Amino acid sequence: MPSTQQSSGGAADVLEASFRLAKGTFVLELDLAAEPGITVLFGPSGSGKSLTLRAIAGMVEPDAGRIAVDGAAVFDRAAGISVPPHRRGFGYAGQRPALFPHLTVRQNVAFGLRDHSRADRDAVTSALLARFGLAGFEQRRVGSLSGGQAQRVALARALAPGHRVLLLDEPFSALDEALRQDLRALLNDLARERELVIIFVTHDLREAHLLADRLAVLDGGRVLQAGPRDAVFRAPSNRRVAELLGAVNVFPATVIRRDDSTLVFTAGGWEGLAASWSGDPVPGQAVDVMIRPERVVMRRGAPTVNALPARIVREFDYGNSRVLHFEPDGAGPRLVVELASRPYDVLDVRSRKSWTLELPPEDLHVMPALARAAR
Ligand SMILES: Nc1ncnc2c1ncn2[C@@H]1O[C@H](COP(=O)(O)OP(=O)(O)OP(=O)(O)O)[C@@H](O)[C@H]1O
């Protein structure tokens, strides 16, 4: 099916941010919406992720634009509205936990609950401390905590006031992988239970994949693409998005013809059939074609469609999988293929270098070539 749509698929947007902010020579021109669930803001270093969160939180003021929750502005330059950070109703946690060093763990978590009754405050705080595995640490000064413990306190504190919107800026980056896994699972559970609207910043692709319901890809201060996670990974809107998302097989081609469900292209004389595309490619148009390395099929006999005779020229052993670099025998793209260790053995790839690759049309995604993409 052509993958041109990026519909949100259900829940209404709670948070809408559309603003412009210049810092030195860097210009952030942001358009972002978030609904209940985890929206991962993914992008390379310096793409503007932190600045985006800080602007939404109210720690830095955009030059123009609007930020609204359920339609009500917390910032609106034209209307002269700028609600201070502590009144926006957002929880925020950054890379390094910013806790009050003179307070205990319990006092830190309870800090945002000063307006609540004592009984209420105690109940909410105790429940969160237990949830974050901090029971027994209540009376500790935060200075004596490990990095992981301190980050759990920071997350519990961000959640304590019952905020519906949570802004999290790489909150797990300083933690080891085991702890990250636990906290990701906890965050996922809390997002579902409390219907939280979470914007989670990361430049870690695996983390983005593990956490995101929706994914927004940021580059050079702009959101290049946003949508449900799998739709963005499967159907990037152009080569830049594909490469930021770790695509390794992206090759140039030209459209030959197209109907409603299939598109025929040529890549240096090799003709291929694709069943997924972004935009509205027309015959003669320059495009980029993508296929994920684990979707390429290695065959002994010739497949009926998209067959590419090729040979292995390099090979990398990652333990549980092999990454194979193929050079085409004739016309066609060079491709990288990833194969799990077991099929590698079963197919006896070790002793055979020449194969016919099959590129299933539903796994080939066509994108307008960047020079001609509307950016
Ligand atoms: N106060 C400032 N003055 C000048 N430039 C700034 C300021 N704050 C941020 N920038 C610039 O804005 C750009 C975006 O920075 P930001 O911290 O948002 O990136 P990021 O995507 O979060 O990167 P990282 O993943 O490395 O944290 C960078 O080029 C940075 O140098």
Side-chain angles (χ1 to χ4, degrees), residues 140-161:
R140 289 267 292 268
R141 298 264 158 199
V142 293
S144 70
L145 299 176
S146 72
Q149 290 159 347
Q151 194 55 285
R152 279 182 279 162
V153 176
L155 286 171
R157 193 181 65 178
L159 274 161

Side-chain angles (χ1 to χ4, degrees), residues 251 265-273 305-309 331-333 357 359 364:
F251 54 89
F265 62 84
T266 173
W270 182 79
E271 261 189 37
L273 188 69
V305 67
N306 287 353
L308 180 71
L357 301 180
L359 284 55
L364 279 174

Side-chain angles (χ1 to χ4, degrees), residues 10-296:
D13 292 330
V14 172
L15 181 77
E16 290 171 295
S18 178
F19 60 80
R20 184 178 192 286
L21 198 173
K23 276 273 175 217
T25 54
F26 184 81
V27 180
L28 183 62
E29 270 188 270
L30 193 92
D31 222 331
L32 184 72
E35 60 189 34
I38 303 180
T39 297
V40 165
L41 189 58
F42 174 81
S45 183
S47 56
K49 306 181 296 295
S50 297
L51 211 49
T52 297
L53 275 207
R54 290 170 56 224
I56 295 173
M59 295 184 260
V60 52
E61 192 151 299
D63 306 311
R66 189 168 187 273
I67 301 166
V69 179
D70 287 328
V74 292
F75 175 81
D76 187 332
R77 188 76 187 189
I81 297 170
S82 185
V83 177
H86 62 280
R87 297 243 173 80
R88 291 196 178 187
F90 302 158
Y92 177 92
Q95 294 177 24
R96 265 173 258 111
L99 300 171
F100 300 113
H102 57 288
L103 299 182
T104 64
V105 166
R106 172 171 278 278
Q107 287 165 337
N108 264 281
V109 174
F111 189 81
L113 299 165
R114 282 154 304 172
D115 301 342
H116 294 228
S117 71
R118 195 192 167 104
D120 226 26
R121 195 165 62 222
D122 286 350
V124 170
T125 306
S126 297
L128 276 170
L129 287 170
R131 199 69 196 271
F132 278 87
L134 291 164
F137 289 88
E138 289 94 332
Q139 302 313 324
R140 289 267 292 268
R141 298 264 158 199
V142 293
S144 70
L145 299 176
S146 72
Q149 290 159 347
Q151 194 55 285
R152 279 182 279 162
V153 176
L155 286 171
R157 193 181 65 178
L159 274 161
H163 294 318
R164 190 158 153 237
V165 177
L166 270 192
L167 307 171
L168 305 177
D169 190 355
E170 308 213 31
F172 307 150
S173 61
L175 311 180
D176 65 43
E177 187 49 33
L179 199 51
R180 278 170 166 239
Q181 270 179 22
D182 290 349
L183 285 175
R184 281 184 202 125
L186 181 55
L187 196 63
N188 254 320
D189 290 348
L190 288 165
R192 311 277 164 262
E193 282 165 30
R194 301 183 175 206
E195 296 187 2
L196 299 172
V197 177
I198 298 177
I199 301 187
F200 189 101
V201 159
T202 184
H203 65 270
D204 178 337
L205 199 52
R206 277 187 67 221
E207 185 159 80
H209 206 278
L210 282 164
L211 276 176
D213 296 307
R214 289 171 57 81
L215 186 64
V217 180
L218 192 69
D219 188 35
R222 284 178 178 77
V223 175
L224 299 188
Q225 188 173 359
R229 179 197 65 183
D230 291 346
V232 178
F233 270 102
R234 224 182 304 118
S237 55
N238 62 44
R239 172 188 278 267
R240 178 68 182 154
V241 177
E243 288 174 349
L244 287 173
L245 295 178
V248 290
N249 291 321
V250 184
F251 54 89
T254 305
V255 178
I256 296 177
R257 60 182 179 277
R258 191 189 115 187
D259 62 30
D260 285 348
S261 58
T262 54
L263 180 152
V264 181
F265 62 84
T266 173
W270 182 79
E271 261 189 37
L273 188 69
S276 164
W277 56 84
S278 298
D280 185 24
V282 294
Q285 184 175 335
V287 289
D288 287 313
V289 182
M290 178 191 103
I291 183 163
R292 301 176 70 85
E294 68 279 12
R295 305 303 300 180
V296 180

